[in-house]
Structures are given as structure tokens and as C-alpha cells.
Amino acid sequence: MKKIILISFLSVLILSCKSTNSATSTKVDSQSQTAIKGEWVISSVNYPGSEVIKVTSFDLADSKCFIGSKWKFVSMSNKGSLTLNSTSCTAYSTPITWFINKEGEFVLKILDEAKAKTVKSGYVLRVANQTEKSFQLVDQINVAGKMTAVVYQFDKIN
């Protein structure tokens, strides 16, 4: 009986990517940035307990809604866009601004209708396993007092 109650509780637990407005290094890793210019798709979102825990990614939608989402990164201007297009989720598209710093952190601001300089908070994720055709963004979230990695797998479209 306790196990069923715990699973029921976990299935409605909603977590999100951490937002940051604290000082993050702004020294750009131009080699890493140039390597991800172009169009990408998120092919998977993985984290321990994903069958029972819901994660709200970037304060936008359930993490599973990001599977199949398209991302465009323009390295020269640090601009781009993201488009959620899963048939089981609400469609959404927004401009973004981003950069990768020397510490391997991917810093993202979702702009909606705002200008980048007026958006005071954003998201910081770690870049991992970067190749010409794929890379991962890794977020650390708190699940019941334990830090858990949420891994977004990006694959190159063109």
C-alpha cells in the first residue's frame, strides 16, 4: 500500500529546470559555440525515475514535450529559436539567446516577445559529449533532496 501511495505522489510531482540570475561566467568558448551552430532536434530526454516523475523543462512544458523539438543556434549573434512540435503537447515557438562559457556551461534566455537585455533570468546547463553530429545539455534538479541529472540529447538536422 505504501508503495502505491509513493508512486501516486511521485507521478504528480512537477519539477523544473533551475533558473538563474546569479553571476555566471560570460567568457565565451567560441569553439564549442561554433560547433553547435545550425539546426538540431532533441531526440531524447532522460533522467532517473522518468516513468513516475514529471519534470517541467525551462518553465514551459513537460520534459517529454521537448522530444522532437527543433532548435536553431546562430553562433555569431548568439541568437536562435526553439519550437515545440509534439502532437501530444501544446505547440510553442520562441526566439532565444544563448552562449557557451569557458566552464562548459550553456546559458540560455527565452525571449518570447522581450528583448534579451530586459530578460533578467535564464537557465544554465552543462554541455556534455559534444561531437559534430550530437551533444547533450545536462541540468541538475532536486528530487526529494537528491540532485538528479536531466539529459537532453541533441542531434544535428543540418
Side-chain angles (χ1 to χ4, degrees), residues 4-45:
I4 294 171
I5 293 170
L6 178 60
I7 291 171
S8 175
F9 168 74
L10 288 176
S11 68
V12 296
L13 182 64
I14 298 177
L15 305 167
S16 64
C17 289
K18 62 187 171 297
S19 176
T20 182
N21 51 12
S22 62
T24 299
S25 173
T26 58
K27 291 186 179 191
V28 173
D29 180 345
S30 47
Q31 184 176 358
S32 292
Q33 278 195 191
T34 301
I36 69 166
K37 72 178 179 184
E39 295 185 25
W40 299 78
V41 64
I42 293 181
S43 58
S44 65
V45 179

Side-chain angles (χ1 to χ4, degrees), residues 10 27 48 55 70 72 81-82 94 109 125:
L10 288 176
K27 291 186 179 191
V55 173
K70 294 194 173 145
K72 181 176 182 180
S81 62
L82 78 85
T94 186
K109 284 186 180 182
L125 298 96

Side-chain angles (χ1 to χ4, degrees), residues 16-20 56 58-59 122-126 138-141 147:
S16 64
C17 289
K18 62 187 171 297
S19 176
T20 182
T56 299
F58 308 106
D59 295 319
Y123 305 90
V124 179
L125 298 96
R126 185 175 46 83
V138 181
D139 191 18
Q140 292 291 323
I141 62 170
M147 294 311 287

Side-chain angles (χ1 to χ4, degrees), residues 100-120:
I100 299 173
N101 68 20
K102 293 278 188 188
E103 286 75 32
E105 296 173 323
F106 181 91
V107 181
L108 170 71
K109 284 186 180 182
I110 296 174
L111 301 180
D112 286 321
E113 300 298 320
K115 292 189 184 285
K117 65 182 179 182
T118 63
V119 176
K120 300 295 182 202

Side-chain angles (χ1 to χ4, degrees), residues 59-79:
D59 295 319
L60 294 174
D62 183 285
S63 62
K64 299 305 178 192
C65 293
F66 281 81
I67 298 171
S69 64
K70 294 194 173 145
W71 295 64
K72 181 176 182 180
F73 300 108
V74 180
S75 61
M76 295 300 287
S77 65
N78 298 102
K79 296 197 187 285

